[in-house]
Structure formats: C-alpha cells, structure tokens
Amino acid sequence: MLENYRSPWMTEDLEAFADSVRRFGREVLEPNELKWRQQHYVDRDVWIKAGDLGLILPDLPEQYGGAGGTVAHAAVVIRELGYVGNTGFGYGINYLVGHYLNNYGTPAQKQRWLPGMASGEIITSVAMTEPGAGSDLQGVRTSARQRADGKYVINGAKTFITNGQMSDMVVVVARTGEAGAKGISLMIVETGNPGFRRGKCLDKVGQDSADTSEMFFDDCVVDADAVLGGVPGQGFYQLMGQLPYERAMIAVGAAAQMERALALTADYVKERRAFGQALLDFQNTRFVLADVKATVTASRAFADVIIDRWIDGTLDSAMASMGKFWLTERQGEVIDKCVQFFGGFGYMLEYPIARMYADARVQRIYGGANEIQRELVARSL
Ligand SMILES: Cc1cc2nc3c(=O)[nH]c(=O)nc-3n(C[C@H](O)[C@H](O)[C@H](O)COP(=O)(O)OP(=O)(O)OC[C@H]3O[C@@H](n4cnc5c(N)ncnc54)[C@H](O)[C@@H]3O)c2cc1C
C-alpha cells in the first residue's frame, strides 16, 4: 500500500497471489464488514471461498490440503487482509492450529483435521485463556484426567476464545499431570462432544465481527488420541514453539493496518475543506502526517525483517515479541493521530478509521500482553 516500496522478499509469483488475496478482501470481506459486525460472526461460506483460493493454510503441504506454498504466501495473506481492515475473519487461528498439527500432530491427527481446515470446512479455536489465568499460562486450571480405560475427562472454563461460536474443533490447553510446565497438554476437542458447551459471544470494544466467546468443559470425554502428538506433557513446549509465529502475525497485521490508516487519511485531508482550504494545506496536517508516514515506513521495514527471518527459519522469540509490542503500539499511535483529522466523523463507526481505532486497542493485549513481550525481549539482552 505504501507507494514506491516493494518488500525485499516479494517476487512476481507472490505479487500474483497478492492480487487474488486483495480481490478476495475487496469483494468478499469489505462489502460484508458492517453486517458481520452486527451479527458478531463471519458467514461460513467465506471460509469456503478463502479455502478455494488457498489462503487459509497457504504454506502447508498439499498432501494435507495445504496450498504447498511458503511462509511468504502466509505473510502476503496477513498483509493483504490487513489492508482491507479485516479483524473478524479468523482464518489466522486455522493457520496457527494448522501449524500445531503439522509440527506436532500424529499422522492420523494431520489426516483427520488438516484437509478440512485448509478447505474452510472446519473452523478451529485455540483455548488457552481462562477467567483466572491469561498471561500466566502455567496457572491454567482446566484439567484432563486420564481414566482407567485410557480416555481423558476434561473439566474447566475458557474465555475470550476467537472463533468461539463457530469452531468445529478446539485445541484446549489443559493440565494432564504435575504442577508446572511439564503437566500441560494440548487436547483436541470436537465441539459436537456432549461435554462441550459454548458460552456467551462476548460484547467487545472493537473487532465486533469476531465471535470471541466463553467455552465450558463439563466431564467432556475424549479418546486417548486427543492429546496433540499422542504424548501428554508436551503442551507447554508446543505452545512456546508456536507462539512466536502468532506474535509475528499480529506484528505484520499491525504494520498493514497502519498503512491503511495513512492511505485513508491522506485521501480524506485532500478532500475535506475548512477555512477555505483543504485540511492537507494546514501545516499541522502536513507535519503530523509526515511523522505518521515515517512511522508507517519504519514499521513496514520492521515487519519485512520479521517476515524475512520467518521465511528463512531464523525468527526467534525475542524478534517476534519485539515486533508484536513495538508495531502494535505504533499502530495505536498512528491510528489515533489519523482519527483526529477526521474530526467528528473520525468518531463515527460508519467511518472505517473509527472502526480501526476501536479494533486496534486489543492488539496490545492479546497474543500475550505487551508487558509479557517486553519480558521475553529483555531475556535476550
Ligand atoms: C479479542 C480477544 C481475542 C482473544 N482471543 C484468544 C484466543 O483465541 N485464545 C485464547 O486462549 N485467548 C484469547 N484471548 C485472551 C488474551 O490472550 C488474554 O486476554 C491475554 O493473554 C491477557 O491475559 P488476561 O486477560 O488474563 O490478563 P492478565 O494476565 O490478568 O494480565 C492483565 C495485565 O496485567 C499485566 N501483567 C500481567 N502479567 C504481567 C507480567 N508478568 N509483567 C508485567 N505486567 C503483567 C499486563 O499489563 C496485562 O495486560 C483473547 C483476548 C481478546 C480480548
């Protein structure tokens, strides 16, 4: 979206893929945004359309229904859907769960879930957070106790779960053993299981088209092979292995949303007039937007470093966390400055910039609060 700037990792092939993702964003997501915000979920057929374009699991092997591309394809999807302001279509969770399965799942688990997730027929969630434990993941109280017949019985409550109303399968963080990291496992739970219950779809400050929800597990019985990877006690390590990618996704999305905010604002200040001149002719507008453009350009470059390392396999936890906290904080500042130029219209949800403002706040909270990200970065000093 920034003019005269091409990401170093971009290729002709990826440009063509970006075009098709952009079309999907403009033709399928943008026109339905307000409807979805009102109903608090995104229609299921959108998942199928996205699956047909290969944008849900773009970098997973074709053997499992993936599109056989690379991480660069995944980065293109995040960026292009950021450019249309998407915060409701939760394809990113299928992407994350797809990687949990691909990296740690047994062959049977991959075969069972990945093809449907790639095609958009299966929607997934990741349920880590509980009413009493968010940042401190080792404090989860949801339990999965193994019975004599080998099956597990899950009990507990989760909250703030993205795709919560729509998901067909949930990866649940549960305690299967001793206190501490070694007692945690990731359990694969089908939402048709009689012990599973969805709670409220939560009323949020922004991101209204996302069906963020509560979930309850009441004597929810699953087979022994519901443990991701088949061996209990690996959950915390599996989470630690994949969370950097979730943070990278948030960081790359933040940079794209900033580019969109600048583009919308630049258009507006050229059109809107006050005191006989365009808003852009006021020196304040020019200087503030010059600062914004510098921040947006630096943010894009930072996002590109993260993507580069993600592509070549050298993205570490500190770099992902740095990107997550720094870019989401710049996103908040940039959008706040942009809103000001829209005057009262900037506070009206009818205007995309107002929705972007409301949507941006949570970027500093979810995916691990920014304070936690700073802790992780500080450990690398
Ligand atoms: C819209 C939305 C979608 C979400 N989607 C999901 C999802 O799909 N799956 C899921 O499992 N969770 C999800 N979450 C939950 C999210 O990841 C948590 O809210 C987040 O990790 C923070 O946990 P918490 O809310 O329990 O806050 P707490 O852990 O209570 O922390 C509150 C605040 O305390 C401070 N704090 C905490 N620990 C430290 C520390 N060590 N050092 C310094 N300060 C600290 C931070 O400022 C933090 O923001 C979602 C949340 C929202 C709002």
Side-chain angles (χ1 to χ4, degrees):
M1 197 166 253
L2 274 178
E3 284 159 29
N4 305 322
Y5 183 103
R6 190 183 197 224
S7 294
W9 48 271
M10 226 11 178
T11 61
E12 294 304 309
D13 238 24
L14 289 167
E15 294 281 9
F17 181 61
D19 281 347
S20 72
V21 181
R22 195 168 311 144
R23 261 200 312 282
F24 168 81
R26 294 211 175 126
E27 292 169 13
V28 181
L29 300 187
E30 257 182 343
N32 288 301
E33 185 194 333
L34 295 179
K35 177 187 136 195
W36 294 335
R37 281 186 188 265
Q38 275 183 351
Q39 69 186 25
H40 297 308
Y41 65 90
V42 168
D43 295 325
R44 224 170 229 277
D45 64 325
V46 171
W47 287 80
I48 304 295
K49 286 180 186 152
D52 287 346
L53 290 172
L55 61 80
I56 299 179
L57 296 180
D59 56 346
L60 285 196
E62 291 174 50
Q63 177 196 0
Y64 293 120
T70 66
V71 168
H73 290 86
V76 162
V77 176
I78 300 163
R79 177 172 286 175
E80 290 298 331
L81 298 193
Y83 286 161
V84 294
N86 173 60
T87 55
F89 172 44
Y91 73 96
I93 304 293
N94 266 29
Y95 181 80
L96 291 169
V97 173
H99 281 263
Y100 277 110
L101 283 161
N102 193 48
N103 287 314
Y104 309 117
T106 62
Q109 288 169 339
K110 293 185 202 188
Q111 205 57 62
R112 163 73 182 90
W113 296 108
L114 287 173
M117 288 168 58
S119 69
E121 281 152 307
I122 295 175
I123 300 176
T124 62
S125 296
V126 179
M128 296 181 264
T129 309
E130 302 183 353
S135 304
D136 182 11
L137 258 183
Q138 290 193 35
V140 295
R141 298 182 62 182
T142 296
S143 61
R145 298 199 194 293
Q146 197 164 24
R147 298 193 311 207
D149 64 0
K151 295 187 182 210
Y152 286 86
V153 186
I154 305 176
N155 278 290
K158 298 286 180 181
T159 194
F160 307 146
I161 308 307
T162 304
N163 294 343
Q165 295 296 313
M166 301 291 283
S167 52
D168 307 293
M169 179 266 263
V170 193
V171 173
V172 183
V173 178
R175 185 159 291 288
T176 45
E178 60 194 86
K182 288 186 184 148
I184 287 181
S185 303
L186 302 186
M187 309 297 296
I188 300 173
V189 179
E190 300 193 36
T191 55
N193 189 309
F196 171 83
R197 187 162 50 88
R198 298 179 211 272
K200 277 198 302 273
C201 182
L202 300 160
D203 213 2
K204 304 190 292 297
V205 168
Q207 305 205 351
D208 316 85
S209 37
D211 52 327
T212 314
S213 304
E214 301 170 321
M215 287 183 172
F216 301 99
F217 303 85
D218 303 309
D219 290 332
C220 178
V221 179
V222 293
D223 288 337
D225 64 6
V227 177
L228 180 69
V231 182
Q234 301 298 306
F236 200 74
Y237 307 101
Q238 292 165 341
L239 286 168
M240 293 306 117
Q242 294 305 301
L243 284 173
Y245 303 113
E246 177 175 357
R247 290 160 187 163
M249 290 173 80
I250 294 173
V252 172
Q257 297 268 0
M258 278 186 254
E259 286 188 56
R260 179 179 197 237
L262 173 60
L264 290 170
T265 310
D267 284 347
Y268 187 78
V269 295
K270 286 175 202 158
E271 288 291 319
R272 176 78 176 173
R273 298 182 72 77
F275 299 96
Q277 58 184 22
L279 294 186
L280 184 59
D281 294 331
F282 292 106
Q283 190 187 53
N284 177 67
T285 309
R286 303 176 70 75
F287 282 14
V288 172
L289 287 184
D291 283 350
V292 163
K293 186 162 186 178
T295 304
V296 171
T297 306
S299 298
R300 168 79 177 262
F302 191 0
D304 279 333
V305 169
I306 290 170
I307 294 167
D308 245 345
R309 294 198 178 184
W310 194 357
I311 292 170
D312 72 17
T314 60
L315 179 69
D316 62 13
S317 157
M319 179 63 85
S321 291
M322 233 179 327
K324 197 273 176 181
F325 85 70
W326 199 83
L327 289 165
T328 57
E329 288 169 18
R330 299 297 78 71
Q331 180 187 2
E333 289 165 10
V334 158
I335 295 177
D336 184 58
K337 285 181 179 162
C338 289
V339 162
Q340 190 71 15
F341 293 113
F342 285 79
F345 297 104
Y347 203 63
M348 298 299 132
L349 288 172
E350 194 185 329
Y351 275 66
I353 197 72
R355 301 194 293 275
M356 291 179 78
Y357 179 76
D359 288 352
R361 185 60 183 88
V362 76
Q363 292 263 83
R364 290 180 261 162
I365 298 172
Y366 60 19
N370 281 7
E371 292 77 7
I372 301 294
Q373 307 311 313
R374 283 186 164 83
E375 279 293 336
L376 295 170
V377 174
R379 283 179 204 164
S380 73
L381 292 172

